[in-house]
Amino acid sequence: MVKQAIRIFARVKPSRRPAGIYSVSNEEASASSLEILVPRDLADGFVNNKRESYKFRFQETFDQDVKQDTIFEHIAKPVAESVLTGYNGTVFAYGQTGSGKTFTITGGAERYGDRGIIPRTLSYIFEQFQKDSSKVYTLHVSYLEIYNECGYDLLDPRHEASKLEDLPKVTIMEDPDQNIHLKNLSLQQASNEEEALNLLFLGDTNRMIAETPMNQASTRSHCIFTIHVSSKEPGSATVRRSKLHLVDLAGSERVAKTGVGGQLLTEAKYINLSLHYLEQVIIALAEKNRSHIPYRNSMMTSVLRDSLGGNCMTTMIATLSLDKRNIDESISTCRFAQRVALIKNEAILNEETDPQLIIVRLKKEVQGLKDELALVTGEQRTEELTEAETMRLEEQVRTFLEDRDPESTLNIGADMRKIQHGFAFIKTLLHGKKVDESRASSPVNVTERPSSSVARPEEIKKLRDLLQQRDNEINILVNMLKKEKKKTQDAVFEMTSSGFNAPTQHSDSRAQFRSLDTGPKSSAGVEDDNGSQEWRSHSFPRKTAGEEMSLGRQEAFEIFKRDYPDRVTIEDNKRLLKQRFTEAKSLGEAVNKVRTRINHLKGDVEQRRIQRAALGVSSSSDEQNQYDPVEEELRDQMEEEKKRYKTLFSRLKNLKTEIEHLQLLLEKAKVKLQKDFEGWWAEEEAHLQAKQEVHKARMTTSAPPSPQVHDQSRAPPMSDTPIPLTGDSQTDADIMAFVRARQNLLQRKGSGKP
């Protein structure tokens, strides 16, 4: 048993705004102090006795220039080492919103060096698995999200095709020993680092993220990434099982300062409430004579029961944003960390006997008792009846069933194998007799042909929906083409106005471009500037597995991708990935050359030895043992080549890890691009549908009802809106061809033809 207090660390977030006055002192070897100075405000006109200096002690304080690898080495690596030896561990980040918790735990998506604690811990654990060949390790991963006090499995594949409210919720169950079990939370096995990182990437994609005044990508939920490790020595009956919780808490925020409302306000209330319950648990654990700890107040404290005052080695990271406007929140975070440091956990080694080995031992014991019983009775029994015994038993059963004597008996002995087989044979005979009787008494089966009639209104409704979808796509594409032509027109106009001698045809084309915008503007264009960020801040509609993009959506997607804000980052990552692939190829060729060189040197050394052995037969032993400078030089060259081989191979291995991470970043950017496009497309369709409904309502109120519409009620009315053309011959030809095909389809539907 290891009894120790929770270790606390502080990390200061880099800031471009004016920072508050603070100082970090690392004079002591095992502790450091952080001092925050709050100057008095003399503008109020009265005496201000407010404290000016706040001093807090941490195990270590990391200033703004500290990198991610240093954070992992000092904070997460010791916890990961204890997990590999069989102890439970927890690392959690606490702080206000926008202070760098997610960046510290998960990492950034821009550069490989910005990897956080979770990916670095996975890399370190699998590296230790490869080094330690004396044990057999298995690793499983789970990813829990607590959003508005409801738990969700981030590794559930149904996240892509279902809404959040339709997903199964993770519920807490407690056994008689007060151990917590989570229902509907999957446990995924990862056999290597790549599989584990893919699971992490999948979970991060499904997290709830929104834009707030304090943070552009604020996580609106608590997330717990758990690594389950089991180790066992070959031939041993003892298994060590441990788990490592890596917790990214949602940031606390003051609603009065952020001024959020609607869904963001609801999320903020749940976040602050759960953090309040966490602080209640911390305060209760710090009191010595407290009998009741309110773990059950929230789901987060229930899940982290072992991490807070239980069987676990826990470490806390207090993330601080020491801007002048955030000084009060930073001081509150430091006070919370000081209370956490008073809690002491009792971690025990999690060893247990393997149940499979117990089953094997019990089977051996049962077999031994069977052998003893066979020796006592004098009859050697095997696991199954022999074929001769089975035939003899079935003959006895048939004779007993055919005998008309009511007093006849069936004596097959006290062997349970024979009794069970006898009952099974009787059941088989009885079932076969019933089947024969039913076949004899049943009339000839007459198969009914299924109705082949197709519901015609359903087909017409389906065609209407398809036409409506294609109309929306054409309108969206025309609006996008208008914007592109407007950009070209503005560029030409700027060139002509800046002194270039533009031909007369430019003015004609400019007038033509203006004619494109004389029609009524869509509502999508009106609200594009005001609501362009709204759909990015919420969850986007999911694309179903079987859905394919039509030609219109593909063209719109290409234009959307060209103007995408993160396009530069994606292109930079692609270029960097291509460069790393080239470097890896050249390093691989260099490694192969060095390996070939080492093999040649080994052959030369062996050849030299053979020559010396041949000379030693004809010469004395003193000449044979004489120093050979040629062989020594070959050995020196071989050692240098080996060092070079190790260096190149290590660089190649690191390059491979970086390439895999870049591939994950590109895949993540691809998914984000698809989600953003789906949200934009849904918004455009909604605006177009609203516009069409308004237009239809106006036409209905202005035009009198026609007495001849009864025969054509099946076909949708033709739109009176003029067909918007773009000025481009190829695009206009495509639009007109589609409109003609649509009119033909409408005429066929109106005449009732299939």
Side-chain angles (χ1 to χ4, degrees):
M1 179 184 296
V2 179
K3 189 172 183 179
Q4 66 175 11
I6 296 179
R7 305 175 73 228
I8 58 173
F9 296 86
R11 185 181 189 184
V12 181
K13 176 188 175 182
S15 176
R16 297 178 182 177
R17 299 187 180 90
I21 304 173
Y22 72 96
S23 62
V24 178
S25 175
N26 294 318
E27 297 178 356
E28 300 181 15
S30 60
S32 68
S33 61
L34 172 66
E35 185 175 5
I36 301 175
L37 300 178
V38 182
R40 293 180 181 177
D41 188 4
L42 303 179
D44 293 334
F46 55 85
V47 178
N48 189 352
N49 293 325
K50 187 178 180 180
R51 285 181 59 182
E52 294 185 12
S53 175
Y54 296 86
K55 196 170 184 179
F56 305 98
R57 291 177 61 85
F58 296 91
Q59 259 73 30
E60 193 167 353
T61 303
F62 301 99
D63 213 341
Q64 301 183 17
D65 56 347
V66 176
K67 303 297 182 182
Q68 293 281 69
D69 53 352
T70 306
I71 296 294
F72 170 75
E73 290 290 333
H74 290 76
I75 297 178
K77 187 176 179 180
V79 182
E81 290 175 349
S82 64
V83 169
L84 290 173
T85 57
Y87 293 94
N88 295 334
T90 299
V91 177
F92 72 96
Y94 180 90
Q96 73 172 115
T97 180
S99 60
K101 299 181 298 302
T102 303
F103 182 80
T104 302
I105 296 297
T106 306
E110 300 294 334
R111 293 183 297 271
Y112 177 75
D114 290 341
R115 292 178 303 156
I117 287 178
I118 297 179
R120 292 178 185 272
T121 302
L122 291 172
S123 301
Y124 176 75
I125 288 177
F126 280 104
E127 182 182 350
Q128 297 303 312
F129 286 175
Q130 295 178 357
K131 290 182 179 180
D132 189 4
S133 59
S134 62
K135 296 180 181 179
V136 178
Y137 291 94
T138 57
L139 185 141
H140 292 78
V141 164
S142 66
Y143 210 168
L144 171 65
E145 178 185 43
I146 303 176
Y147 175 70
N148 291 351
E149 277 303 308
C150 295
Y152 299 97
D153 184 10
L154 289 177
L155 302 182
D156 192 342
R158 289 171 289 185
H159 263 282
E160 291 295 329
S162 302
K163 296 182 179 179
L164 189 65
E165 55 268 17
D166 296 335
L167 295 174
K169 293 181 176 58
V170 178
T171 56
I172 299 176
M173 306 185 73
E174 189 174 342
D175 59 14
D177 297 331
Q178 294 186 349
N179 295 320
I180 297 297
H181 302 276
L182 299 176
K183 185 181 179 181
N184 296 328
L185 181 64
S186 62
L187 203 63
Q188 306 287 341
Q189 184 174 1
S191 56
N192 52 47
E193 180 183 353
E194 183 179 359
E195 293 181 4
L197 290 177
N198 285 333
L199 292 172
L200 172 63
F201 163 66
L202 174 64
D204 288 340
T205 306
N206 296 327
R207 289 186 65 174
M208 292 299 299
I209 298 176
E211 182 179 351
T212 64
M214 299 289 291
N215 191 357
Q216 285 187 345
S218 175
T219 54
R220 313 304 293 168
S221 60
H222 309 295
C223 291
I224 303 174
F225 186 85
T226 307
I227 303 173
H228 301 263
V229 179
S230 63
S231 61
K232 172 189 169 185
E233 295 182 358
S236 175
T238 303
V239 180
R240 291 184 178 180
R241 304 183 189 275
S242 57
K243 57 185 177 182
L244 172 60
H245 294 304
L246 300 174
V247 187
D248 179 17
L249 298 177
S252 60
E253 57 186 70
R254 293 186 178 181
V255 178
K257 179 180 290 188
T258 59
V260 297
Q263 183 65 22
L264 293 178
L265 177 61
T266 303
E267 294 169 351
K269 288 191 293 186
Y270 277 106
I271 291 171
N272 292 338
L273 182 63
S274 61
L275 294 177
H276 170 68
Y277 288 141
L278 174 63
E279 188 168 7
Q280 283 186 346
V281 171
I282 298 298
I283 294 174
L285 289 170
E287 297 178 2
K288 295 183 179 180
N289 299 325
R290 187 71 174 264
S291 60
H292 172 67
I293 309 298
Y295 287 114
R296 294 189 180 92
N297 283 351
S298 69
M299 185 174 186
M300 180 180 62
T301 54
S302 298
V303 174
L304 298 179
R305 176 182 294 185
D306 284 341
S307 304
L308 304 172
N311 174 25
C312 191
M313 293 184 175
T314 305
T315 300
M316 173 190 166
I317 310 170
T319 56
L320 307 174
S321 177
L322 291 177
D323 297 343
K324 289 184 178 180
R325 61 172 185 169
N326 297 327
I327 288 294
D328 294 338
E329 288 82 357
S330 300
I331 293 174
S332 177
T333 301
C334 293
R335 286 173 174 169
F336 178 82
Q338 303 305 306
R339 287 193 290 268
V340 170
L342 300 176
I343 301 173
K344 292 185 178 180
N345 290 348
E346 295 181 357
I348 60 175
L349 193 63
N350 301 295
E351 286 185 341
E352 60 182 24
T353 306
D354 190 0
Q356 297 296 330
L357 296 178
I358 296 177
I359 292 173
V360 172
R361 181 174 57 82
L362 292 176
K363 284 184 177 180
K364 289 182 179 180
E365 185 177 352
V366 170
Q367 185 61 39
L369 293 174
K370 287 181 178 180
D371 294 340
E372 293 179 5
L373 182 61
L375 289 175
V376 172
T377 58
E379 181 180 358
Q380 186 68 28
R381 298 182 178 181
T382 58
E383 286 294 324
E384 297 180 357
L385 293 173
T386 61
E387 186 176 357
E389 291 177 339
T390 303
M391 294 177 62
R392 186 167 60 250
L393 178 60
E394 291 177 357
E395 186 63 25
Q396 289 179 357
V397 171
R398 284 196 184 95
T399 304
F400 172 73
L401 293 176
E402 293 174 357
D403 193 357
R404 299 290 183 178
D405 187 6
E407 296 181 359
S408 61
T409 58
L410 177 63
N411 187 10
I412 57 177
D415 192 349
M416 288 301 300
R417 298 172 300 169
K418 293 181 179 180
I419 294 173
Q420 292 176 357
H421 185 76
F423 277 111
F425 184 68
I426 293 173
K427 184 178 180 180
T428 303
L429 293 176
L430 184 60
H431 181 69
K433 185 177 180 182
K434 288 184 177 180
V435 170
D436 294 339
E437 291 177 356
S438 63
R439 287 180 179 177
S441 60
S442 62
V444 179
N445 295 328
V446 179
T447 59
E448 297 180 357
R449 293 184 179 180
S451 176
S452 60
S453 62
V454 180
R456 188 170 182 79
E458 295 180 358
E459 182 181 359
I460 293 176
K461 185 178 182 301
K462 185 177 180 181
L463 289 173
R464 285 180 180 175
D465 294 340
L466 182 60
L467 283 172
Q468 184 66 32
Q469 181 180 357
R470 292 297 179 262
D471 285 343
N472 292 339
E473 291 177 1
I474 288 177
N475 291 329
I476 293 174
L477 284 173
V478 168
N479 290 334
M480 294 182 70
L481 288 173
K482 283 183 180 180
K483 292 179 182 178
E484 293 297 321
K485 293 295 182 181
K486 188 67 169 58
K487 290 181 182 178
T488 308
Q489 172 231 345
D490 293 339
V492 172
F493 180 70
E494 289 177 2
M495 291 175 63
T496 56
S497 62
S498 60
F500 290 98
N501 294 324
T504 313
Q505 57 188 3
H506 285 176
S507 60
D508 298 336
S509 63
R510 190 162 177 256
Q512 182 182 3
F513 292 144
R514 284 179 176 173
S515 65
L516 293 176
D517 297 331
T518 55
K521 292 187 177 180
S522 64
S523 59
V526 174
E527 295 183 6
D528 186 54
D529 294 335
N530 298 331
S532 59
Q533 298 296 332
E534 183 178 355
W535 57 268
R536 285 191 179 93
S537 63
H538 299 289
S539 58
F540 306 109
R542 307 286 184 180
K543 184 178 180 182
T544 57
E547 185 180 354
E548 296 182 357
M549 279 191 181
S550 61
L551 293 177
R553 292 185 69 172
Q554 289 178 1
E555 186 175 354
F557 180 72
E558 292 299 327
I559 299 175
F560 180 83
K561 183 171 64 176
R562 187 183 63 192
D563 298 334
Y564 192 60
D566 295 339
R567 180 179 60 85
V568 178
T569 303
I570 296 174
E571 294 298 330
D572 291 342
N573 284 337
K574 284 184 179 179
R575 185 170 60 255
L576 183 60
L577 181 62
K578 185 177 180 181
Q579 180 182 355
R580 292 296 181 265
F581 270 123
T582 306
E583 294 178 4
K585 183 179 179 181
S586 60
L587 277 176
E589 293 175 354
V591 167
N592 291 332
K593 289 180 181 179
V594 172
R595 185 165 51 191
T596 305
R597 176 67 176 163
I598 291 174
N599 292 333
H600 283 309
L601 290 174
K602 284 184 179 179
D604 294 342
V605 171
E606 292 295 329
Q607 189 69 24
R608 188 70 182 174
R609 286 183 176 179
I610 293 173
Q611 292 178 0
R612 292 187 62 187
L615 293 174
V617 175
S618 57
S619 61
S620 61
S621 60
D622 295 337
E623 294 180 357
Q624 185 177 0
N625 296 328
Q626 191 175 1
Y627 172 76
D628 187 2
V630 178
E631 182 179 350
E632 191 65 25
E633 183 179 358
L634 291 174
R635 287 182 176 277
D636 292 340
Q637 293 180 5
M638 190 163 59
E639 289 297 327
E640 292 178 0
E641 294 294 334
K642 285 183 178 180
K643 292 180 181 178
R644 186 184 174 195
Y645 177 81
K646 290 181 180 179
T647 304
L648 291 174
F649 187 78
S650 177
R651 288 174 55 192
L652 183 62
K653 185 178 179 182
N654 295 333
L655 203 58
K656 178 185 175 184
T657 305
E658 185 175 356
I659 287 174
E660 292 175 353
H661 185 74
L662 287 172
Q663 289 174 342
L664 286 177
L665 292 180
L666 286 175
E667 184 66 23
K668 192 173 183 179
K670 178 182 177 183
V671 173
K672 185 176 182 295
L673 172 62
Q674 182 66 32
K675 284 187 175 181
D676 290 351
F677 173 73
E678 291 294 332
W680 174 82
W681 184 267
E683 184 179 341
E684 291 290 332
E685 283 188 335
H687 288 320
L688 286 174
Q689 289 177 0
K691 176 188 172 184
Q692 291 176 359
E693 290 177 359
V694 171
H695 180 71
K696 289 180 181 179
R698 290 177 179 175
M699 294 298 296
T700 303
T701 55
S702 61
S706 177
Q708 298 179 355
V709 296
H710 179 71
D711 295 335
Q712 298 181 358
S713 60
R714 294 178 178 268
M718 294 291 293
S719 176
D720 294 333
T721 305
I723 300 171
L725 300 180
T726 64
D728 184 85
S729 59
Q730 183 63 35
T731 306
D732 293 342
D734 294 340
I735 293 175
M736 293 303 299
F738 182 85
V739 171
R740 285 195 295 270
R742 175 179 177 270
Q743 291 175 353
N744 293 334
L745 183 59
L746 289 174
Q747 292 174 1
R748 293 174 60 188
K749 284 171 55 183
S751 60
K753 294 181 181 181

